[in-house]
Amino acid sequence: MTARHAWRRGQVLIDTYGRVATDLRVSLTDRCNLRCTYCMPEEGLQWLAKPDLLTDDEIVRLIDIAVTSLGIREVRFTGGEPLLRPGLVGIVGRVAALEPRPRMSLTTNGIGLKRTASALKAAGLDRVNVSLDTLRPDVFKTLTRRDRHKDVIEGLYAAREAGLTPVKVNSVLMPGLNEDEAPDLLAWAVEHDYELRFIEQMPLDAQHGWKREGLITAGDILASLRTRFDLTPESDEERGPAPAERWLVNGGPHRVGVIASVTRPFCAACDRTRLTADGQIRTCLFAREETDLRAALRSGAPDEEIARIWRAAMWGKKAASGLDDPSFVRPERPMSAIGG
């Protein structure tokens, strides 16, 4: 069944608010080789046991079901750090062979990209998002608790040279650490032909250190950028369901984006569904409920039954994340366990 047939027959991931999920985020591992302060504690986090993780075959089968039976058009591989998944290149190659072929991207901290960018491109990966919060190696070490700034810079360069474009850079600004770097980061991104996106810090840290007070907001970021750049807003039509609001920089062609999950929620246009590394469906990054697909897979359920479970999970998706509500209750699992 083609994706077009899936739409015609109503076999899509639609919820009660009429939103249709066409973008699948797949977490490949909960492990990471950084310890970013806004994501993970320095030590003591309990990793998923290997038997609990989906196998390569299980991941590809679920993506196949999503693409051929549920109308998914885009797949984003995430983690933890997806480059730590031993079978990553093979998974990408097998997903690239699906009919119809989904667009594929990967969100990474960039440390392993120098080594893997060419192989990922050859396997069929279309582009990458790389996390980099600072241009200062000392601040990077403080934020990530690792001295790997040079590796990320080299990984970004390798991704661009391999053709994994547009290379997008994701940056989180933290009070007292890198809050003054927005203009410098944008100037650097423009110089190197990367598309920069700032992300408001979200309450997904394992140590529960996030506080609404003192949050560096989209408004703060834009005010800082406008001290050095002329920003022209992109139209709502151009944005579509993308989480980032975007602006042309000095008339273009370069753009900068801001993902304002906390202060400017975009739930009404959400087109995403999420699969965790241990086979759970999450209808929202901030959801407190999950639906188990791993059990169905391992009990021998046919593709049609797995697709039915997935559709039922998405039908129950809530109207909004609730993140803009002061009484918001955070998910029990940290970002490293559920995928960014």
Side-chain angles (χ1 to χ4, degrees):
M1 180 189 301
T2 67
R4 182 177 300 172
H5 291 155
W7 274 83
R8 186 168 62 240
R9 294 181 57 179
Q11 294 185 346
V12 293
L13 294 172
I14 190 169
D15 63 34
T16 54
Y17 300 94
R19 297 169 297 191
V20 177
T22 58
D23 184 335
L24 170 61
R25 306 296 171 97
V26 181
S27 175
L28 298 178
T29 178
D30 60 331
R31 296 175 183 265
C32 188
N33 41 12
L34 296 180
R35 294 293 182 272
C36 297
T37 57
Y38 52 78
C39 182
M40 302 172 69
E42 188 167 7
E43 56 186 22
L45 192 62
Q46 186 67 41
W47 303 117
L48 292 169
K50 187 173 182 180
D52 293 336
L53 294 171
L54 294 176
T55 66
D56 293 0
D57 288 344
E58 289 171 336
I59 289 170
V60 173
R61 182 184 171 195
L62 288 175
I63 295 174
D64 189 356
I65 292 169
V67 169
T68 60
S69 299
L70 296 172
I72 290 296
R73 300 170 181 175
E74 183 160 351
V75 176
R76 171 86 60 87
F77 297 108
T78 69
E81 173 46 51
L83 295 183
L84 295 179
R85 177 88 186 200
L88 172 61
V89 173
I91 291 171
V92 170
R94 292 168 67 183
V95 174
L98 296 178
E99 179 58 42
R101 180 197 185 280
R103 296 186 298 273
M104 285 185 292
S105 57
L106 178 140
T107 296
T108 171
N109 62 29
I111 288 176
L113 268 179
K114 182 179 179 180
R115 174 176 49 85
T116 57
S118 294
L120 288 168
K121 180 64 178 180
L125 191 70
D126 295 305
R127 63 171 191 82
V128 294
N129 287 31
V130 180
S131 298
L132 181 66
D133 303 320
T134 177
L135 300 176
R136 307 167 186 165
D138 58 325
V139 176
F140 181 92
K141 187 175 181 179
T142 299
L143 276 166
T144 67
R145 305 184 179 103
R146 299 291 187 270
D147 190 11
R148 306 298 297 272
H149 188 265
K150 179 173 179 288
D151 297 310
V152 179
I153 297 296
E154 291 178 348
L156 277 160
Y157 177 81
R160 189 186 64 198
E161 293 303 296
L164 293 170
T165 55
V167 176
K168 296 184 179 180
V169 176
N170 295 339
S171 297
V172 176
L173 299 182
M174 300 287 288
L177 288 173
N178 62 339
E179 61 185 314
D180 61 335
E181 283 199 68
D184 290 340
L185 281 163
L186 182 53
W188 169 83
V190 168
E191 178 186 355
H192 294 281
D193 201 24
Y194 304 136
E195 184 173 325
L196 180 63
R197 304 193 311 173
F198 293 98
I199 303 175
E200 288 182 339
Q201 185 196 1
M202 296 177 285
L204 291 168
D205 54 316
Q207 63 272 35
H208 290 194
W210 182 87
K211 290 181 176 60
R212 193 177 300 272
E213 302 77 20
L215 174 72
I216 298 174
T217 68
D220 297 331
I221 294 165
L222 291 170
S224 179
L225 292 176
R226 285 182 170 124
T227 63
R228 285 171 55 183
F229 301 94
D230 178 44
L231 303 181
T232 305
E234 187 177 66
S235 70
D236 290 342
E237 182 177 338
E238 288 177 295
R239 179 185 181 185
E245 297 178 75
R246 298 198 306 176
W247 289 261
L248 284 173
V249 179
N250 293 338
H254 292 96
R255 288 176 167 83
V256 62
V258 178
I259 298 177
S261 300
V262 179
T263 62
R264 303 181 186 179
F266 40 85
C267 301
C270 181
D271 67 345
R272 287 171 291 288
T273 182
R274 298 174 181 276
L275 178 66
T276 67
D278 55 350
Q280 309 300 304
I281 288 298
R282 297 180 65 89
T283 60
C284 174
L285 186 61
F286 305 104
R288 293 181 58 80
E289 304 83 20
E290 298 177 339
T291 300
D292 189 2
L293 291 187
R294 185 187 64 200
L297 277 175
R298 295 182 180 178
S299 67
D303 289 0
E304 294 78 8
E305 174 62 11
I306 292 169
R308 185 198 65 77
I309 295 171
W310 204 329
R311 285 195 298 271
M314 293 304 295
W315 183 251
K317 184 173 181 173
K318 294 181 178 179
S321 67
L323 190 55
D324 57 336
D325 186 335
S327 64
F328 170 77
V329 179
R330 69 176 65 227
E332 293 182 3
R333 297 218 275 176
M335 184 184 292
S336 61
I338 59 180

